[in-house]
Amino acid sequence: MVNKELKPSINEGDFVLAALNEKRRVDGRGIYDVRSLQISFGADYGQVEIQLGRTRVAAKVSAKVERPRNDKPTEGILLFNTEISPMACPTFEAGSRSEEEVLISRIIEKSLRRSRAIDTEGLCIVAGEKVWEIRVDLHFLDHDGNLVDCAGIAAITALSHFRRPDVTVVGEEVTIHPIDQRNPVPLSIHHLPICVSFAFFDQGQLLVVDPNYLEEKLKQGSMVITMNIHKEICALSKAGGIPLEMDQVLRCSQIALVKVTETTEQIQKALETDKASRKKAASSGAK
């Protein structure tokens, strides 16, 4: 049975537009404000839950040894898997990938893989024989708008938090050391690409950052800019909607840089806090 998507009423649409014309939003934010970001880590490395307002995404990173691809014998493999269940939003169907899920998956993959954020050559164990396959599973728990940004933050935070087992190579013999015998090794990450989503209204005259669920249903167009703290645009995605002028794109990129800087600082602070707490727990456990 296909779930029919509930569309906002005309009154809701008029109310949202009237608020935006007064530089306000229905949830109380300013037009350039993002919702509060909460980062929590699981017991194991690479387990992260991100909450952006009421949108929640859980990420889990795992690693296993595989043969490399024939065209890239010295590079490891980076895989992304997304899963949106009806638990996140009743409009999604179990067992089938919606257009929105496919789009989110492509944006995340483009942002992290094509931007070369992860050093895949550092995942090589024996060239042409054995490499690490890093898999990122993204589970969407609550959908209150802007799944892309939330999933992107979850993916890069989980990869930054993840530790793979240490490996020793002697001749052709490869030994993978358990985590309880040797300290696990972090992934080599060149930069942190952060997605910033924009929604456009009134033929592109009005824009908001980090749209919520209602705003996403009423938008006339959208754009996702993926950028890092070094002012490099890693990816830009605009899937349909109204056309935009060049000055609008440039204005969005300037707004995105501010948001990316704030988010990157928050991610790094959360990682440092978790590292300190784990170190403290390990030292107290050793006594």
Side-chain angles (χ1 to χ4, degrees):
M1 184 177 175
V2 178
N3 281 316
K4 291 187 177 180
E5 195 168 337
L6 294 173
K7 293 184 179 181
S9 66
I10 295 172
N11 287 341
E12 283 178 309
D14 291 343
F15 181 69
V16 169
L17 277 175
L20 290 177
N21 278 305
E22 295 179 8
K23 307 296 182 186
R24 296 184 180 185
R25 293 163 79 173
V26 291
D27 55 8
R29 287 183 288 159
I31 56 174
Y32 299 145
D33 292 344
V34 298
R35 291 168 292 179
S36 62
L37 176 65
Q38 296 177 14
I39 303 172
S40 54
F41 298 98
D44 297 330
Y45 285 115
Q47 287 187 351
V48 178
E49 185 178 303
I50 302 295
Q51 185 161 344
L52 186 62
R54 290 189 297 177
T55 299
R56 283 194 308 142
V57 177
K60 185 178 187 301
V61 181
S62 55
K64 64 178 179 178
V65 177
E66 292 285 350
R67 283 188 67 85
R69 294 193 173 99
N70 293 330
D71 58 334
K72 296 177 180 178
T74 60
E75 290 189 20
I77 302 167
L78 186 61
L79 298 176
F80 294 93
N81 178 55
T82 56
E83 185 178 322
I84 304 181
S85 69
M87 181 179 73
C89 184
T91 57
F92 294 119
E93 283 189 90
S96 65
R97 284 169 67 88
S98 64
E99 286 183 21
E100 188 173 359
E101 184 178 356
V102 172
L103 184 63
I104 291 167
S105 183
R106 284 178 182 169
I107 292 172
I108 299 301
E109 195 166 317
K110 189 190 297 182
S111 303
L112 292 170
R113 183 186 289 161
R114 295 185 189 176
S115 66
R116 311 290 291 180
I118 314 300
D119 179 17
T120 51
E121 290 187 359
L123 299 173
C124 180
I125 301 170
V126 179
E129 294 292 331
K130 289 184 173 67
V131 297
W132 285 107
E133 180 187 275
I134 305 297
R135 178 186 169 105
V136 184
D137 288 296
L138 295 166
H139 299 275
F140 299 85
L141 306 176
D142 282 315
H143 180 18
D144 189 38
N146 200 6
L147 287 173
V148 171
D149 291 9
C150 196
I153 295 168
I156 194 61
T157 306
L159 286 164
S160 302
H161 187 251
F162 181 67
R163 302 289 185 271
R164 64 166 177 80
D166 198 5
V167 176
T168 303
V169 181
V170 181
E172 294 184 359
E173 186 178 335
V174 177
T175 306
I176 299 174
H177 303 279
I179 292 176
D180 56 351
Q181 292 182 11
R182 275 201 193 182
N183 288 332
V185 182
L187 302 178
S188 179
I189 298 176
H190 297 307
H191 58 93
L192 303 183
I194 305 295
C195 298
V196 181
S197 293
F198 298 87
F200 300 93
F201 305 85
D202 195 17
Q203 300 303 312
Q205 298 303 310
L206 301 171
L207 72 86
V208 298
V209 183
D210 179 28
N212 60 27
Y213 186 82
L214 179 59
E215 288 167 345
E216 280 190 342
K217 298 305 169 195
L218 293 166
K219 69 186 178 186
Q220 294 177 327
S222 63
M223 181 171 65
V224 180
I225 296 178
T226 307
M227 190 182 280
N228 61 29
I229 204 169
H230 309 297
K231 301 182 181 179
E232 298 169 333
I233 294 180
C234 307
L236 193 149
S237 175
K238 188 183 183 309
I242 56 173
L244 300 176
E245 299 291 337
M246 183 55 70
D247 61 340
Q248 289 174 304
V249 178
L250 291 172
R251 182 158 63 109
C252 289
S253 67
Q254 292 168 351
I255 296 167
L257 179 60
V258 176
K259 305 305 175 187
V260 164
T261 304
E262 293 171 357
T263 304
T264 302
E265 288 173 357
Q266 195 168 344
I267 291 171
Q268 290 173 339
K269 186 178 179 182
L271 288 167
E272 287 169 9
T273 303
D274 181 75
K275 185 179 179 181
S277 64
R278 286 175 187 272
K279 191 175 180 181
K280 185 178 179 181
S283 61
S284 61
K287 290 179 182 179

